[in-house]
Amino acid sequence: MFKLFKEFYIIKHFPKSYPFYKKILCNVLFFFSRIIVHQRENELSSKDLLKANLLLRKGDIVLCWEHETILSLLIHDPVNHAAIYVGKRMFVEAIGKGVEYVSFHKLFTTYHSLVILRAAKGTKRIIIRNAVKFAKSAVGKPYNYEFSQKGEGYFCSQLVNEAYRSAGYNTYLASISLARTTKKKLEEKLSKAADALRPARMVKGNFRTIFVSHNLKLKGKNLFTKKTRLAT
């Protein structure tokens, strides 16, 4: 059966001082970003599900990709979302309506590709516990539509990156990068999202890649789809 939207809801959870016009703008942008442009069946296989389920450990970062909506046309990467596994088959993620829990089943049936990242060998358990604790404490906070270091909200890759950074772990990644080139500065003028950490960049951080789904491959620190090279 054809669906017009991947998922749709009215975003109501914003920082207290957020201007009304920005609330309207965020809802309009979200509305268009969830329009389905390519109707597809879920591409993750039962073997992917089994392997991912067996390998997952508390504190693992999961990168995933949905390529049905307009959003997937704007982010030309093998993955476009990030979440952190907090145990008991539950993840914490930051999406349009804010930071919330999501089940393994929903994550697996929503997205089409999957990558599991884990902290470097020898990482102390206290760091993992504190990263998970940070993520759980963020549940209920709004989405970071400003893509700024200031404020109480998070975007998806910022949430998982800051969870580890707050625990004292060096991820080698900045959630918000400073614009260094003229091109980047111009992009920053148009949107601060240009400086935001994209989920695909997480692969290049201080994490081990534990698993990639059958439709992705990894060469060094570069993630590819098996059809076309999408990220370097």
Side-chain angles (χ1 to χ4, degrees):
M1 182 178 176
F2 178 78
K3 294 192 304 179
L4 179 60
F5 295 99
K6 182 75 175 180
E7 182 182 26
F8 179 70
Y9 44 78
I10 301 297
I11 301 168
K12 300 177 180 178
H13 189 31
F14 293 97
K16 293 179 180 178
S17 60
Y18 213 64
F20 181 74
Y21 80 92
K22 287 188 176 182
K23 293 179 182 180
I24 298 298
L25 179 60
C26 287
N27 272 288
V28 170
L29 291 174
F30 179 73
F31 173 85
F32 284 106
S33 73
R34 304 314 291 159
I35 294 175
I36 293 175
V37 291
H38 299 294
Q39 189 78 26
R40 299 176 187 266
E41 295 295 325
N42 189 289
E43 294 182 11
L44 289 170
S45 66
S46 56
K47 189 177 288 187
D48 289 327
L49 171 62
L50 179 61
K51 284 185 178 180
N53 197 29
L54 290 173
L55 288 170
L56 266 176
R57 294 183 188 172
K58 191 179 288 189
D60 283 351
I61 293 170
V62 169
L63 309 177
C64 37
W65 181 44
E66 62 88 358
H67 57 154
E68 292 182 299
T69 65
I70 288 176
L71 179 64
S72 65
L73 300 179
L74 300 175
I75 303 177
H76 300 285
D77 287 333
V79 290
N80 52 22
H81 186 56
I84 183 169
Y85 185 60
V86 296
K88 297 182 179 180
R89 299 177 63 79
M90 296 297 291
F91 298 83
V92 173
E93 64 174 359
I95 58 174
K97 55 186 173 183
V99 181
E100 63 179 24
Y101 289 103
V102 61
S103 68
F104 180 88
H105 174 76
K106 184 175 181 182
L107 201 75
F108 190 86
T109 54
T110 299
Y111 294 93
H112 300 272
S113 301
L114 206 68
V115 177
I116 298 176
L117 303 180
R118 186 170 295 159
K121 286 184 178 180
T123 301
K124 294 180 180 179
R125 291 183 181 180
I126 186 65
I127 288 177
I128 306 297
R129 287 198 297 269
N130 285 341
V132 169
K133 185 178 179 181
F134 178 96
K136 287 182 173 179
S137 70
V139 171
K141 292 191 175 183
Y143 189 81
N144 182 4
Y145 284 102
E146 295 292 313
F147 295 98
S148 169
Q149 290 281 23
K150 299 176 181 180
E152 57 179 309
Y154 298 95
F155 55 87
C156 67
S157 45
Q158 179 188 27
L159 172 67
V160 297
N161 192 47
E162 293 304 319
Y164 271 95
R165 284 163 58 94
S166 71
Y169 184 76
N170 189 354
T171 65
Y172 301 160
L173 298 166
S175 297
I176 307 290
S177 302
L178 294 175
R180 298 182 183 277
T181 65
T182 302
K183 180 183 176 182
K184 278 289 184 182
K185 288 177 181 178
L186 288 172
E187 289 175 348
E188 188 183 49
K189 292 288 184 182
L190 295 173
S191 172
K192 291 183 180 178
D195 300 322
L197 174 63
R198 289 159 68 156
R201 290 284 304 171
M202 298 292 299
V203 175
K204 298 179 182 291
N206 189 21
F207 298 99
R208 295 175 287 152
T209 302
I210 302 301
F211 169 81
V212 295
S213 56
H214 75 279
N215 47 8
L216 296 175
K217 60 182 177 180
L218 190 72
K219 285 187 178 181
K221 286 283 188 179
N222 296 318
L223 188 64
F224 305 79
T225 66
K226 287 196 172 179
K227 293 181 180 179
T228 308
R229 180 171 176 168
L230 290 178
T232 57

